[in-house]
mmCIF file of all heavy atoms in Angstrom:
data_model
loop_
_atom_site.group_PDB
_atom_site.id
_atom_site.type_symbol
_atom_site.label_atom_id
_atom_site.label_comp_id
_atom_site.label_asym_id
_atom_site.label_seq_id
_atom_site.Cartn_x
_atom_site.Cartn_y
_atom_site.Cartn_z
ATOM 1 N N MET B 125 -26.480 55.220 -47.465
ATOM 2 C CA MET B 125 -27.842 55.725 -47.669
ATOM 3 C C MET B 125 -27.992 57.130 -47.097
ATOM 4 O O MET B 125 -28.665 57.991 -47.668
ATOM 5 C CB MET B 125 -28.844 54.775 -47.016
ATOM 6 C CG MET B 125 -28.988 53.458 -47.761
ATOM 7 S SD MET B 125 -30.052 52.312 -46.916
ATOM 8 C CE MET B 125 -31.633 53.088 -47.166
ATOM 9 N N LEU B 126 -27.322 57.350 -45.945
ATOM 10 C CA LEU B 126 -27.378 58.668 -45.316
ATOM 11 C C LEU B 126 -26.734 59.723 -46.209
ATOM 12 O O LEU B 126 -27.284 60.790 -46.453
ATOM 13 C CB LEU B 126 -26.662 58.599 -43.961
ATOM 14 C CG LEU B 126 -26.933 59.744 -43.006
ATOM 15 C CD1 LEU B 126 -28.385 59.734 -42.575
ATOM 16 C CD2 LEU B 126 -26.021 59.651 -41.786
ATOM 17 N N LYS B 127 -25.575 59.362 -46.763
ATOM 18 C CA LYS B 127 -24.880 60.296 -47.647
ATOM 19 C C LYS B 127 -25.700 60.534 -48.906
ATOM 20 O O LYS B 127 -25.755 61.629 -49.440
ATOM 21 C CB LYS B 127 -23.505 59.744 -48.014
ATOM 22 C CG LYS B 127 -22.476 59.906 -46.915
ATOM 23 C CD LYS B 127 -21.160 59.314 -47.352
ATOM 24 C CE LYS B 127 -20.143 59.425 -46.233
ATOM 25 N NZ LYS B 127 -18.884 58.766 -46.610
ATOM 26 N N GLY B 128 -26.325 59.435 -49.387
ATOM 27 C CA GLY B 128 -27.153 59.568 -50.574
ATOM 28 C C GLY B 128 -28.293 60.534 -50.358
ATOM 29 O O GLY B 128 -28.618 61.349 -51.218
ATOM 30 N N GLY B 129 -28.885 60.456 -49.155
ATOM 31 C CA GLY B 129 -29.972 61.376 -48.826
ATOM 32 C C GLY B 129 -29.497 62.816 -48.781
ATOM 33 O O GLY B 129 -30.153 63.728 -49.283
ATOM 34 N N MET B 130 -28.311 63.007 -48.183
ATOM 35 C CA MET B 130 -27.753 64.366 -48.098
ATOM 36 C C MET B 130 -27.436 64.906 -49.488
ATOM 37 O O MET B 130 -27.663 66.062 -49.805
ATOM 38 C CB MET B 130 -26.497 64.360 -47.243
ATOM 39 C CG MET B 130 -26.775 64.152 -45.760
ATOM 40 S SD MET B 130 -25.274 63.918 -44.837
ATOM 41 C CE MET B 130 -24.510 65.509 -45.064
ATOM 42 N N LEU B 131 -26.906 64.029 -50.335
ATOM 43 C CA LEU B 131 -26.578 64.451 -51.696
ATOM 44 C C LEU B 131 -27.839 64.834 -52.449
ATOM 45 O O LEU B 131 -27.883 65.821 -53.169
ATOM 46 C CB LEU B 131 -25.865 63.324 -52.427
ATOM 47 C CG LEU B 131 -24.349 63.320 -52.314
ATOM 48 C CD1 LEU B 131 -23.797 62.105 -53.032
ATOM 49 C CD2 LEU B 131 -23.778 64.593 -52.926
ATOM 50 N N ALA B 132 -28.864 63.973 -52.249
ATOM 51 C CA ALA B 132 -30.114 64.247 -52.950
ATOM 52 C C ALA B 132 -30.674 65.591 -52.543
ATOM 53 O O ALA B 132 -31.294 66.295 -53.333
ATOM 54 C CB ALA B 132 -31.124 63.138 -52.645
ATOM 55 N N ALA B 133 -30.447 65.978 -51.285
ATOM 56 C CA ALA B 133 -30.957 67.269 -50.816
ATOM 57 C C ALA B 133 -30.119 68.432 -51.331
ATOM 58 O O ALA B 133 -30.630 69.503 -51.627
ATOM 59 C CB ALA B 133 -31.001 67.273 -49.297
ATOM 60 N N SER B 134 -28.806 68.231 -51.438
ATOM 61 C CA SER B 134 -27.918 69.354 -51.770
ATOM 62 C C SER B 134 -27.570 69.417 -53.246
ATOM 63 O O SER B 134 -27.336 70.478 -53.793
ATOM 64 C CB SER B 134 -26.631 69.242 -50.961
ATOM 65 O OG SER B 134 -25.985 68.016 -51.299
ATOM 66 N N ALA B 135 -27.562 68.293 -53.926
ATOM 67 C CA ALA B 135 -27.098 68.268 -55.312
ATOM 68 C C ALA B 135 -27.941 69.113 -56.252
ATOM 69 O O ALA B 135 -27.393 69.839 -57.068
ATOM 70 C CB ALA B 135 -27.030 66.821 -55.805
ATOM 71 N N PRO B 136 -29.283 69.084 -56.212
ATOM 72 C CA PRO B 136 -30.072 69.893 -57.153
ATOM 73 C C PRO B 136 -29.721 71.366 -57.091
ATOM 74 O O PRO B 136 -29.612 72.034 -58.109
ATOM 75 C CB PRO B 136 -31.507 69.645 -56.717
ATOM 76 C CG PRO B 136 -31.465 68.322 -56.043
ATOM 77 C CD PRO B 136 -30.137 68.253 -55.396
ATOM 78 N N LYS B 137 -29.527 71.882 -55.872
ATOM 79 C CA LYS B 137 -29.214 73.313 -55.738
ATOM 80 C C LYS B 137 -27.910 73.631 -56.439
ATOM 81 O O LYS B 137 -27.801 74.573 -57.222
ATOM 82 C CB LYS B 137 -29.123 73.699 -54.275
ATOM 83 C CG LYS B 137 -30.481 73.694 -53.575
ATOM 84 C CD LYS B 137 -30.319 74.063 -52.139
ATOM 85 C CE LYS B 137 -31.661 73.993 -51.423
ATOM 86 N NZ LYS B 137 -31.518 74.215 -49.993
ATOM 87 N N SER B 138 -26.903 72.875 -56.174
ATOM 88 C CA SER B 138 -25.599 73.168 -56.748
ATOM 89 C C SER B 138 -25.628 73.010 -58.254
ATOM 90 O O SER B 138 -25.014 73.763 -58.992
ATOM 91 C CB SER B 138 -24.544 72.248 -56.149
ATOM 92 O OG SER B 138 -24.888 70.898 -56.424
ATOM 93 N N GLU B 139 -26.382 71.964 -58.698
ATOM 94 C CA GLU B 139 -26.458 71.777 -60.146
ATOM 95 C C GLU B 139 -27.199 72.917 -60.798
ATOM 96 O O GLU B 139 -26.811 73.393 -61.862
ATOM 97 C CB GLU B 139 -27.167 70.454 -60.452
ATOM 98 C CG GLU B 139 -26.252 69.251 -60.235
ATOM 99 C CD GLU B 139 -26.992 67.960 -60.459
ATOM 100 O OE1 GLU B 139 -28.146 68.011 -60.941
ATOM 101 O OE2 GLU B 139 -26.420 66.915 -60.135
ATOM 102 N N GLU B 140 -28.265 73.365 -60.132
ATOM 103 C CA GLU B 140 -29.017 74.484 -60.693
ATOM 104 C C GLU B 140 -28.139 75.724 -60.798
ATOM 105 O O GLU B 140 -28.128 76.406 -61.809
ATOM 106 C CB GLU B 140 -30.223 74.788 -59.812
ATOM 107 C CG GLU B 140 -31.389 73.855 -60.056
ATOM 108 C CD GLU B 140 -32.500 74.100 -59.069
ATOM 109 O OE1 GLU B 140 -32.438 75.141 -58.369
ATOM 110 O OE2 GLU B 140 -33.399 73.275 -59.003
ATOM 111 N N ILE B 141 -27.406 75.964 -59.709
ATOM 112 C CA ILE B 141 -26.516 77.140 -59.717
ATOM 113 C C ILE B 141 -25.524 77.022 -60.839
ATOM 114 O O ILE B 141 -25.290 77.962 -61.603
ATOM 115 C CB ILE B 141 -25.789 77.259 -58.358
ATOM 116 C CG1 ILE B 141 -26.807 77.642 -57.291
ATOM 117 C CG2 ILE B 141 -24.656 78.270 -58.437
ATOM 118 C CD1 ILE B 141 -26.267 77.521 -55.884
ATOM 119 N N ALA B 142 -24.977 75.834 -60.996
ATOM 120 C CA ALA B 142 -23.966 75.657 -62.030
ATOM 121 C C ALA B 142 -24.565 75.841 -63.411
ATOM 122 O O ALA B 142 -23.978 76.480 -64.276
ATOM 123 C CB ALA B 142 -23.343 74.265 -61.898
ATOM 124 N N LEU B 143 -25.760 75.234 -63.583
ATOM 125 C CA LEU B 143 -26.386 75.314 -64.890
ATOM 126 C C LEU B 143 -26.825 76.741 -65.216
ATOM 127 O O LEU B 143 -26.721 77.191 -66.355
ATOM 128 C CB LEU B 143 -27.606 74.381 -64.955
ATOM 129 C CG LEU B 143 -27.254 72.898 -65.008
ATOM 130 C CD1 LEU B 143 -28.511 72.032 -64.851
ATOM 131 C CD2 LEU B 143 -26.541 72.570 -66.323
ATOM 132 N N GLU B 144 -27.306 77.443 -64.201
ATOM 133 C CA GLU B 144 -27.735 78.815 -64.441
ATOM 134 C C GLU B 144 -26.548 79.734 -64.644
ATOM 135 O O GLU B 144 -26.585 80.656 -65.438
ATOM 136 C CB GLU B 144 -28.563 79.324 -63.258
ATOM 137 C CG GLU B 144 -29.956 78.706 -63.214
ATOM 138 C CD GLU B 144 -30.670 79.083 -61.946
ATOM 139 O OE1 GLU B 144 -30.082 79.842 -61.154
ATOM 140 O OE2 GLU B 144 -31.794 78.608 -61.744
ATOM 141 N N ALA B 145 -25.519 79.473 -63.899
ATOM 142 C CA ALA B 145 -24.375 80.377 -63.927
ATOM 143 C C ALA B 145 -23.573 80.237 -65.197
ATOM 144 O O ALA B 145 -23.029 81.214 -65.696
ATOM 145 C CB ALA B 145 -23.465 80.105 -62.720
ATOM 146 N N LEU B 146 -23.555 79.014 -65.755
ATOM 147 C CA LEU B 146 -22.674 78.793 -66.904
ATOM 148 C C LEU B 146 -23.051 79.632 -68.112
ATOM 149 O O LEU B 146 -22.207 80.335 -68.657
ATOM 150 C CB LEU B 146 -22.668 77.304 -67.245
ATOM 151 C CG LEU B 146 -21.666 76.892 -68.313
ATOM 152 C CD1 LEU B 146 -20.250 77.267 -67.892
ATOM 153 C CD2 LEU B 146 -21.770 75.405 -68.606
ATOM 154 N N PRO B 147 -24.300 79.645 -68.556
ATOM 155 C CA PRO B 147 -24.615 80.487 -69.730
ATOM 156 C C PRO B 147 -24.398 81.971 -69.459
ATOM 157 O O PRO B 147 -23.911 82.687 -70.322
ATOM 158 C CB PRO B 147 -26.096 80.201 -69.968
ATOM 159 C CG PRO B 147 -26.363 78.911 -69.279
ATOM 160 C CD PRO B 147 -25.432 78.877 -68.126
ATOM 161 N N GLU B 148 -24.771 82.409 -68.280
ATOM 162 C CA GLU B 148 -24.582 83.842 -67.982
ATOM 163 C C GLU B 148 -23.120 84.202 -68.024
ATOM 164 O O GLU B 148 -22.735 85.233 -68.586
ATOM 165 C CB GLU B 148 -25.156 84.168 -66.605
ATOM 166 C CG GLU B 148 -26.676 84.148 -66.589
ATOM 167 C CD GLU B 148 -27.216 84.453 -65.225
ATOM 168 O OE1 GLU B 148 -26.426 84.962 -64.394
ATOM 169 O OE2 GLU B 148 -28.391 84.179 -64.967
ATOM 170 N N ALA B 149 -22.321 83.360 -67.449
ATOM 171 C CA ALA B 149 -20.884 83.654 -67.464
ATOM 172 C C ALA B 149 -20.356 83.671 -68.878
ATOM 173 O O ALA B 149 -19.549 84.525 -69.260
ATOM 174 C CB ALA B 149 -20.139 82.604 -66.630
ATOM 175 N N ALA B 150 -20.842 82.683 -69.639
ATOM 176 C CA ALA B 150 -20.386 82.627 -71.027
ATOM 177 C C ALA B 150 -20.852 83.864 -71.784
ATOM 178 O O ALA B 150 -20.098 84.440 -72.569
ATOM 179 C CB ALA B 150 -20.939 81.365 -71.685
ATOM 180 N N ALA B 151 -22.086 84.252 -71.516
ATOM 181 C CA ALA B 151 -22.625 85.439 -72.193
ATOM 182 C C ALA B 151 -21.851 86.684 -71.798
ATOM 183 O O ALA B 151 -21.487 87.492 -72.654
ATOM 184 C CB ALA B 151 -24.092 85.591 -71.833
ATOM 185 N N ASP B 152 -21.594 86.809 -70.532
ATOM 186 C CA ASP B 152 -20.849 87.988 -70.071
ATOM 187 C C ASP B 152 -19.452 88.019 -70.647
ATOM 188 O O ASP B 152 -18.938 89.077 -71.014
ATOM 189 C CB ASP B 152 -20.795 87.989 -68.545
ATOM 190 C CG ASP B 152 -22.178 88.242 -67.975
ATOM 191 O OD1 ASP B 152 -23.023 88.827 -68.708
ATOM 192 O OD2 ASP B 152 -22.422 87.831 -66.823
ATOM 193 N N ALA B 153 -18.873 86.847 -70.692
ATOM 194 C CA ALA B 153 -17.520 86.797 -71.244
ATOM 195 C C ALA B 153 -17.544 87.195 -72.706
ATOM 196 O O ALA B 153 -16.668 87.902 -73.191
ATOM 197 C CB ALA B 153 -16.947 85.383 -71.078
ATOM 198 N N ALA B 154 -18.574 86.709 -73.397
ATOM 199 C CA ALA B 154 -18.687 87.077 -74.819
ATOM 200 C C ALA B 154 -18.947 88.553 -74.977
ATOM 201 O O ALA B 154 -18.402 89.192 -75.875
ATOM 202 C CB ALA B 154 -19.843 86.263 -75.425
ATOM 203 N N VAL B 155 -19.744 89.107 -74.095
ATOM 204 C CA VAL B 155 -20.000 90.552 -74.119
ATOM 205 C C VAL B 155 -18.697 91.302 -73.942
ATOM 206 O O VAL B 155 -18.396 92.243 -74.677
ATOM 207 C CB VAL B 155 -21.007 90.918 -73.015
ATOM 208 C CG1 VAL B 155 -21.027 92.424 -72.798
ATOM 209 C CG2 VAL B 155 -22.390 90.413 -73.389
ATOM 210 N N ALA B 156 -17.954 90.840 -72.978
ATOM 211 C CA ALA B 156 -16.670 91.508 -72.728
ATOM 212 C C ALA B 156 -15.779 91.413 -73.939
ATOM 213 O O ALA B 156 -15.062 92.360 -74.290
ATOM 214 C CB ALA B 156 -15.997 90.851 -71.503
ATOM 215 N N GLU B 157 -15.855 90.254 -74.593
ATOM 216 C CA GLU B 157 -15.022 90.060 -75.790
ATOM 217 C C GLU B 157 -15.415 91.036 -76.884
ATOM 218 O O GLU B 157 -14.578 91.682 -77.504
ATOM 219 C CB GLU B 157 -15.191 88.619 -76.265
ATOM 220 C CG GLU B 157 -14.358 88.282 -77.479
ATOM 221 C CD GLU B 157 -14.657 86.896 -77.975
ATOM 222 O OE1 GLU B 157 -15.371 86.159 -77.258
ATOM 223 O OE2 GLU B 157 -14.188 86.565 -79.077
ATOM 224 N N GLU B 158 -16.737 91.112 -77.093
ATOM 225 C CA GLU B 158 -17.232 92.002 -78.135
ATOM 226 C C GLU B 158 -16.921 93.456 -77.801
ATOM 227 O O GLU B 158 -16.510 94.233 -78.661
ATOM 228 C CB GLU B 158 -18.755 91.835 -78.297
ATOM 229 C CG GLU B 158 -19.141 90.505 -78.914
ATOM 230 C CD GLU B 158 -18.593 90.367 -80.323
ATOM 231 O OE1 GLU B 158 -18.526 91.400 -81.031
ATOM 232 O OE2 GLU B 158 -18.216 89.252 -80.728
ATOM 233 N N VAL B 159 -17.119 93.753 -76.534
ATOM 234 C CA VAL B 159 -16.853 95.131 -76.105
ATOM 235 C C VAL B 159 -15.399 95.498 -76.357
ATOM 236 O O VAL B 159 -15.072 96.592 -76.798
ATOM 237 C CB VAL B 159 -17.225 95.308 -74.632
ATOM 238 C CG1 VAL B 159 -16.644 96.598 -74.075
ATOM 239 C CG2 VAL B 159 -18.734 95.296 -74.471
ATOM 240 N N SER B 160 -14.549 94.535 -76.092
ATOM 241 C CA SER B 160 -13.124 94.843 -76.221
ATOM 242 C C SER B 160 -12.659 94.779 -77.668
ATOM 243 O O SER B 160 -11.713 95.441 -78.036
ATOM 244 C CB SER B 160 -12.320 93.851 -75.370
ATOM 245 O OG SER B 160 -12.544 92.547 -75.864
ATOM 246 N N GLU B 161 -13.324 93.907 -78.449
ATOM 247 C CA GLU B 161 -12.813 93.717 -79.814
ATOM 248 C C GLU B 161 -13.480 94.633 -80.839
ATOM 249 O O GLU B 161 -12.817 95.427 -81.480
ATOM 250 C CB GLU B 161 -13.019 92.260 -80.208
ATOM 251 C CG GLU B 161 -12.537 91.976 -81.623
ATOM 252 C CD GLU B 161 -12.894 90.584 -82.052
ATOM 253 O OE1 GLU B 161 -13.591 89.882 -81.288
ATOM 254 O OE2 GLU B 161 -12.497 90.211 -83.166
ATOM 255 N N GLU B 162 -14.768 94.477 -80.946
ATOM 256 C CA GLU B 162 -15.460 95.083 -82.087
ATOM 257 C C GLU B 162 -15.301 96.602 -82.183
ATOM 258 O O GLU B 162 -14.870 97.099 -83.214
ATOM 259 C CB GLU B 162 -16.949 94.711 -82.041
ATOM 260 C CG GLU B 162 -17.216 93.236 -82.286
ATOM 261 C CD GLU B 162 -16.864 92.835 -83.715
ATOM 262 O OE1 GLU B 162 -16.915 93.705 -84.618
ATOM 263 O OE2 GLU B 162 -16.520 91.667 -83.932
ATOM 264 N N PRO B 163 -15.616 97.338 -81.151
ATOM 265 C CA PRO B 163 -15.507 98.800 -81.307
ATOM 266 C C PRO B 163 -14.085 99.235 -81.601
ATOM 267 O O PRO B 163 -13.868 100.118 -82.442
ATOM 268 C CB PRO B 163 -15.971 99.334 -79.952
ATOM 269 C CG PRO B 163 -16.716 98.201 -79.325
ATOM 270 C CD PRO B 163 -16.107 96.976 -79.843
ATOM 271 N N ALA B 164 -13.185 98.609 -80.936
ATOM 272 C CA ALA B 164 -11.792 99.046 -81.111
ATOM 273 C C ALA B 164 -11.321 98.802 -82.526
ATOM 274 O O ALA B 164 -10.681 99.663 -83.144
ATOM 275 C CB ALA B 164 -10.912 98.287 -80.111
ATOM 276 N N VAL B 165 -11.655 97.626 -83.026
ATOM 277 C CA VAL B 165 -11.194 97.301 -84.375
ATOM 278 C C VAL B 165 -11.865 98.206 -85.401
ATOM 279 O O VAL B 165 -11.208 98.766 -86.282
ATOM 280 C CB VAL B 165 -11.502 95.823 -84.683
ATOM 281 C CG1 VAL B 165 -11.203 95.490 -86.151
ATOM 282 C CG2 VAL B 165 -10.681 94.932 -83.755
ATOM 283 N N ARG B 166 -13.170 98.333 -85.239
ATOM 284 C CA ARG B 166 -13.893 99.127 -86.247
ATOM 285 C C ARG B 166 -13.506 100.597 -86.187
ATOM 286 O O ARG B 166 -13.314 101.263 -87.226
ATOM 287 C CB ARG B 166 -15.404 98.993 -86.017
ATOM 288 C CG ARG B 166 -15.895 97.618 -86.446
ATOM 289 C CD ARG B 166 -17.364 97.430 -86.156
ATOM 290 N NE ARG B 166 -17.765 96.067 -86.432
ATOM 291 C CZ ARG B 166 -18.957 95.611 -86.139
ATOM 292 N NH1 ARG B 166 -19.844 96.386 -85.543
ATOM 293 N NH2 ARG B 166 -19.265 94.374 -86.424
ATOM 294 N N GLU B 167 -13.408 101.040 -84.959
ATOM 295 C CA GLU B 167 -13.013 102.453 -84.829
ATOM 296 C C GLU B 167 -11.636 102.679 -85.412
ATOM 297 O O GLU B 167 -11.374 103.687 -86.086
ATOM 298 C CB GLU B 167 -13.025 102.860 -83.346
ATOM 299 C CG GLU B 167 -14.435 103.091 -82.844
ATOM 300 C CD GLU B 167 -14.470 103.295 -81.355
ATOM 301 O OE1 GLU B 167 -13.377 103.469 -80.758
ATOM 302 O OE2 GLU B 167 -15.553 103.250 -80.771
#
Side-chain angles (χ1 to χ4, degrees):
Chain B
M125 288 175 71
L126 196 66
K127 282 179 182 176
M130 289 172 65
L131 270 177
S134 61
K137 289 179 183 174
S138 60
E139 283 176 9
E140 280 174 12
I141 291 169
L143 288 171
E144 287 172 2
L146 187 58
E148 288 179 15
D152 292 337
V155 166
E157 181 185 350
E158 290 297 325
V159 166
S160 62
E161 179 187 5
E162 292 293 333
V165 173
R166 287 177 187 173
E167 283 172 11

